[in-house]
Amino acid sequence: MAFIGALGATGAIPCVRSRGTQSRLRSLHPNPCCYQSSSASFALKNGALFTLFSAPVADQRKALGQERFRVRAAGAEPELELVKAKSSIMDPGVLELWRSAEAVCFDVDSTVCEDEGIDELAAFCGAGEAVAAWTASAFGNPMGGSVPFEVALAARLDLFKPSASDVAKLLASKPPRLSPGIKDLVNKLHSKGTHVYLVSGGFRQMIEPAAELLNISKDRIYANNLLFGENGEFTGFDATEPTSRSGGKAKVIEKIKAEFGYTKLVMIGDGATDLEARRPGGADMFICYGGVAVRPNVVEGSDVFVTTFTDLINTL
């Protein structure tokens, strides 16, 4: 079978987002810009129009070495470089850690929810194009790790300065869009007694409604806080929150582990700030979720890469 997808020019867009076509394409293929088998998932390191051919196999559980993959740029002879996660969720050691994890921490934007909260808020305030232009500027996409998170956050908020009223109206008109399967996954984790946290660089005001849908208590949310004046005018964000800066999620994970004594904690997310949590003293495993956006450098650094939460539900 063959799948065709489009990626941006090399270095210009370090992530691929399928936006409105995601649900339709997912019925044909887990993600239009990566290939997933039962043993490993791949994304392109250098962007181009590509076609992916998978040699047919009788048993989809065969090891990676028993399958062959060719990826070529359209009209070009050289094969493009592939990048893959270090392991498969079905690897025995990985599977044991996933099943025995005492706590699982989820990123929110483009992971728990299908949207990027700041993009939705900017669009609601009439600054969607301005924020998108900044994100696609020479600095690149901050979630791909191009610039410090705190710089990206401040720069984008300054473009539209959302008021308390703006946030309330957005939430009233557009409730959180949960990613397919996330509610079932969280429910299953809860049924096993696994503690579930939301650790996000997004805004608490916009995350709490999603947490309520997932039956996650507010005290298990670590996120940024928008600040407002007496009349509800935007005054900034709380820079003392660890998630407001690069490396902050790692510090939150370390704090959670130290406070509650977890010895097995898993982080699940899509961005560079999530990957940062995978370090000594931090998350014991990082699962990169690519069901909304695929960032090749994050995939490459991950322990496991999935494009659907069903893979995680079925292995618990």
Side-chain angles (χ1 to χ4, degrees), residues 18 37 51 53 59 61 85 93 119 165 172 195 208 217 226 230 236-237 258 265 274 307:
S18 53
S37 73
T51 304
F53 301 90
D59 184 355
R61 291 174 297 176
D119 292 342
S165 176
H195 295 174
E208 287 183 353
S217 60
L226 290 170
E230 292 183 2
F237 62 91
L265 183 149
D274 306 310
T307 57

Side-chain angles (χ1 to χ4, degrees), residues 28-57:
L28 299 174
H29 189 255
N31 196 290
C33 45
C34 72
Y35 178 79
Q36 182 185 37
S37 73
S38 59
S39 54
S41 299
F42 301 91
L44 291 177
K45 183 175 288 186
N46 36 345
L49 185 68
F50 71 90
T51 304
L52 174 62
F53 301 90
S54 171
V57 292

Side-chain angles (χ1 to χ4, degrees), residues 133-186:
W134 186 94
T135 302
S137 70
F139 293 101
N141 184 329
M143 287 301 292
S146 303
V147 296
F149 182 79
E150 59 271 24
V151 174
L153 184 62
R156 290 181 293 171
L157 283 172
D158 282 346
L159 290 173
F160 61 102
K161 296 180 171 61
S163 67
S165 176
D166 290 330
V167 175
K169 289 177 181 177
L170 170 62
L171 292 174
S173 63
K174 192 172 184 181
R177 291 197 308 150
L178 297 179
S179 293
I182 185 62
K183 188 171 180 62
D184 290 338
L185 175 56
V186 171

Side-chain angles (χ1 to χ4, degrees), residues 7-16 33-34 41-48 50 71 79-85 294-301:
L7 296 180
T10 304
I13 305 176
C15 83
V16 181
C33 45
C34 72
S41 299
F42 301 91
L44 291 177
K45 183 175 288 186
N46 36 345
F50 71 90
V71 181
E79 293 189 356
L80 297 176
E81 186 176 1
L82 287 172
V83 56
K84 72 181 185 69
V294 177
R295 311 176 201 278
N297 60 321
V298 181
V299 175
E300 187 173 26

Side-chain angles (χ1 to χ4, degrees), residues 53-292:
F53 301 90
S54 171
V57 292
D59 184 355
Q60 287 299 313
R61 291 174 297 176
K62 286 185 177 181
L64 175 62
Q66 294 174 285
E67 292 189 76
R68 294 174 297 160
F69 299 92
R70 290 188 295 113
V71 181
R72 296 183 185 276
E77 185 61 25
E79 293 189 356
L80 297 176
E81 186 176 1
L82 287 172
V83 56
K84 72 181 185 69
K86 298 180 181 71
S87 307
S88 159
I89 190 64
M90 296 305 296
D91 289 351
V94 171
L95 193 59
E96 191 280 331
L97 176 56
W98 169 236
R99 288 175 171 171
S100 62
E102 300 150 299
V104 176
C105 298
F106 288 91
D107 174 41
V108 176
D109 294 343
S110 294
T111 301
V112 165
C113 294
E114 292 187 311
D115 302 313
E116 288 283 334
I118 193 169
D119 292 342
E120 294 297 313
L121 186 55
F124 184 83
C125 295
E129 291 185 3
V131 170
W134 186 94
T135 302
S137 70
F139 293 101
N141 184 329
M143 287 301 292
S146 303
V147 296
F149 182 79
E150 59 271 24
V151 174
L153 184 62
R156 290 181 293 171
L157 283 172
D158 282 346
L159 290 173
F160 61 102
K161 296 180 171 61
S163 67
S165 176
D166 290 330
V167 175
K169 289 177 181 177
L170 170 62
L171 292 174
S173 63
K174 192 172 184 181
R177 291 197 308 150
L178 297 179
S179 293
I182 185 62
K183 188 171 180 62
D184 290 338
L185 175 56
V186 171
N187 285 344
K188 192 160 187 179
L189 288 168
H190 281 159
S191 72
K192 286 168 54 67
T194 307
H195 295 174
V196 178
Y197 296 83
L198 300 181
V199 181
S200 174
F203 309 119
R204 176 174 287 273
Q205 291 90 336
M206 299 176 69
I207 290 171
E208 287 183 353
E212 185 174 354
L213 293 174
L214 297 171
N215 295 314
I216 296 173
S217 60
K218 292 182 180 180
D219 63 333
R220 289 185 177 169
I221 300 173
Y222 292 83
N224 291 319
N225 230 353
L226 290 170
L227 302 178
F228 306 105
E230 292 183 2
N231 299 314
E233 73 278 10
F234 173 77
T235 60
F237 62 91
D238 186 353
T240 66
E241 292 284 355
T243 53
S244 70
R245 51 192 178 272
S246 293
K249 288 186 181 180
K251 292 182 179 179
V252 168
I253 299 301
E254 291 167 358
K255 175 183 181 297
I256 291 173
K257 291 186 75 173
E259 183 173 349
F260 297 101
Y262 301 130
T263 59
K264 295 179 181 179
L265 183 149
V266 175
M267 179 75 199
I268 300 177
D270 71 295
T273 56
D274 306 310
L275 176 59
E276 288 176 342
R278 178 67 166 103
R279 68 185 191 187
D284 300 285
M285 180 167 69
F286 171 58
I287 298 176
C288 179
Y289 174 69
V292 178

